[in-house]
Amino acid sequence: IDTTIGHIIEAAATIAGLALILYAYQNTGTTNGGISLIIACLILMTTLHPLSHYIIGRIYGIKFTFYFLNGPAKIEPTLKTDYQTYLEAAPLKRVIMHATGPITTTIVPLIMGIIAYAIKAPAWSYIILILLLILNIPMEIVPIIVTKRGIKGVIGEKMRKTDTYRALREWK
């Protein structure tokens, strides 16, 4: 998908995620409010990840050519970098660009858990949000371990496709 169309889709989904937070606030303490927070979290984790790559990448002069579906479930929107502008950016800028996605994806469930607690959402909803945070952290730490240990094989190959691995690669 063209980047402009991709940005429109990402922005619309982000706005929908934010609207779900507002809905949860207006329906605090209800099952529907709790469910809307969880759905909002999943939406924002998905949409803000590539948008953060794009914003930081563009600040550093990295261009992107299109969106495509990728990730573990092959449904996550991913940006394809323009390789020429990517290589022209300093390695530290490439590190930061790669790191922004995982950082964003990790911060979103934390913030959503805090929001759930603050608006007195049902306890089960912020427990699920914190579980999303806890489950996301290993997905960002495992590539570091795989990289440092030089693990080969299937898991090693899968880890080489993560943003954390790419950030570490560029850091070297």
Side-chain angles (χ1 to χ4, degrees):
I1 297 175
D2 175 70
T3 54
T4 303
I5 294 168
H7 293 332
I8 292 168
I9 294 168
E10 294 284 319
T14 300
I15 291 167
L18 296 173
L20 285 169
I21 295 170
L22 178 61
Y23 175 83
Y25 177 74
Q26 293 169 342
N27 293 278
T28 192
T30 67
T31 298
N32 286 346
I35 291 170
S36 70
L37 283 176
I38 294 165
I39 294 170
C41 182
L42 293 170
I43 289 170
L44 294 174
M45 287 172 72
T46 303
T47 62
L48 295 178
H49 183 113
L51 288 174
S52 63
H53 283 309
Y54 180 80
I55 291 166
I56 297 302
R58 292 302 294 141
I59 289 169
Y60 290 147
I62 299 170
K63 295 179 181 174
F64 299 88
T65 55
F66 56 89
Y67 277 93
F68 64 102
L69 298 178
N70 200 11
K74 299 294 184 208
I75 60 170
E76 297 88 353
T78 304
L79 281 163
K80 176 65 177 157
T81 56
D82 173 73
Y83 203 58
Q84 180 66 36
T85 59
Y86 177 81
L87 291 176
E88 290 170 355
L92 182 57
K93 291 179 178 180
R94 296 192 303 255
V95 168
I96 294 168
M97 187 275 298
H98 283 300
T100 57
I103 290 168
T104 302
T105 304
T106 303
I107 289 173
V108 167
L110 174 63
I111 292 171
M112 295 299 294
I114 292 167
I115 290 170
Y117 184 78
I119 68 170
K120 300 189 181 358
W124 58 264
S125 64
Y126 58 83
I127 291 169
I128 291 171
L129 292 166
I130 296 305
L131 283 173
L132 282 172
L133 169 67
I134 291 168
L135 291 172
N136 188 59
I137 290 171
M139 293 184 351
E140 304 309 338
I141 294 176
V142 169
I144 297 169
I145 295 167
V146 167
T147 302
K148 293 294 181 189
R149 300 261 180 194
I151 296 172
K152 306 281 186 216
V154 174
I155 192 165
E157 290 305 313
K158 295 269 185 202
M159 292 301 117
R160 284 176 175 72
K161 295 179 180 182
T162 66
D163 288 321
T164 305
Y165 175 84
R166 291 178 180 130
L168 288 169
R169 179 194 66 209
E170 295 303 319
W171 186 264
K172 290 179 183 181

